Amino acid sequence: MIFDGNFNKQGKDRTPFSSFFKEAQASLFEVIAPTRCIVCESPGPLLCDHCAATLTGIDNKAACVRCGAPFGGVICAECQRPEGLRLFSFDAARARFVFDQTSARIVKAFKDEGERRLATIMARYLVDAAAEWTLSADFVVPIPATRQALRARDFDHMALVAAEFSVMTGVSALDCLVKTDTHDQRGLDRARRQENMAGSFSLGLPSLAALLRIRAPRIILIDDVFTTGATLDAAAATLRNAGVRSVFVVVLCRVW
């Protein structure tokens, strides 16, 4: 399913009336339960300037050109192993921040606590990291939630981020990947993560048709956290098998 800056996921126009209703609803909620920073809980913005400043940014000019790990220089030690270069199905990866206490709190509040307003903040950070990739990309594709996660959360968090990313960049968001139910990746080592994600993605037929209307499309694949890269690699492999020419990964934070 395609998102863009003028339509929501259901394809309905964002009318002035609906925008007014949402603004009125937000104002009412603000009176009843004023916004607090999701990190320090001080009244004010959802992510206050002080807490935002504690995020450890990654300089992508100095990061690993393959996996986006900080301080990698050209190729990091994780990618350049004694047994040979680690291979990915994506072309390159970038992360905006190191995974630390603050970035982990953002991810948890968004995914597990349902703070959907964080989608805009996360999208803005991803756009910063994507930089020039947005100039030539045909689609931004989110890593989808599993059916189990959707039942638990009642929303697909990265689909929301992709929609905001699309509004900010003009790159159409394509919700084309379907993820089968797998074990939670948290707590699994590298080998078990790769085994868990093998064959875990497929392409939804309606979105596949949109994808294939462009010859050898270029994709920005987005997610919240890059740990070992197993999830992103499996998703990129699925896209490659469908004829995608290039896949560039952008995430909020990189475990390191």
Side-chain angles (χ1 to χ4, degrees), residues 72-90:
V74 180
I75 297 178
C76 72
E78 282 194 2
C79 289
Q80 184 64 70
R81 302 174 180 179
E83 62 270 25
L85 190 65
R86 185 183 178 195
L87 301 178
F88 290 108
S89 295
F90 50 81

Side-chain angles (χ1 to χ4, degrees), residues 26-37:
S27 298
L28 179 60
F29 285 158
E30 196 63 30
V31 172
I32 297 172
T35 299
R36 293 178 176 272
C37 174

Side-chain angles (χ1 to χ4, degrees), residues 34-155:
T35 299
R36 293 178 176 272
C37 174
I38 52 95
V39 179
C40 68
E41 298 188 353
S42 61
L46 195 58
L47 179 64
C48 73
D49 291 342
H50 171 77
C51 291
T54 66
L55 287 161
T56 305
I58 294 178
D59 180 1
N60 283 296
K61 293 180 181 179
C64 176
V65 297
R66 296 177 59 78
C67 74
F71 323 121
V74 180
I75 297 178
C76 72
E78 282 194 2
C79 289
Q80 184 64 70
R81 302 174 180 179
E83 62 270 25
L85 190 65
R86 185 183 178 195
L87 301 178
F88 290 108
S89 295
F90 50 81
D91 295 86
R94 289 180 179 174
R96 183 64 182 83
F97 302 109
V98 171
F99 185 80
D100 58 16
Q101 185 175 358
T102 304
S103 59
R105 176 63 193 139
I106 294 173
V107 172
K108 180 175 175 57
F110 186 33
K111 288 172 63 173
D112 300 334
E113 298 172 13
E115 182 46 86
R116 303 187 191 195
R117 292 177 294 174
L118 284 168
T120 302
I121 294 174
M122 288 185 63
R124 189 176 300 119
Y125 284 138
L126 293 185
V127 170
D128 288 344
E132 70 275 9
W133 289 348
T134 61
L135 300 177
S136 59
D138 296 301
F139 298 106
V140 56
V141 174
I143 292 292
T146 63
R147 288 168 294 186
Q148 182 180 5
L150 281 173
R151 287 192 296 268
R153 298 175 189 148
D154 196 33
F155 73 105

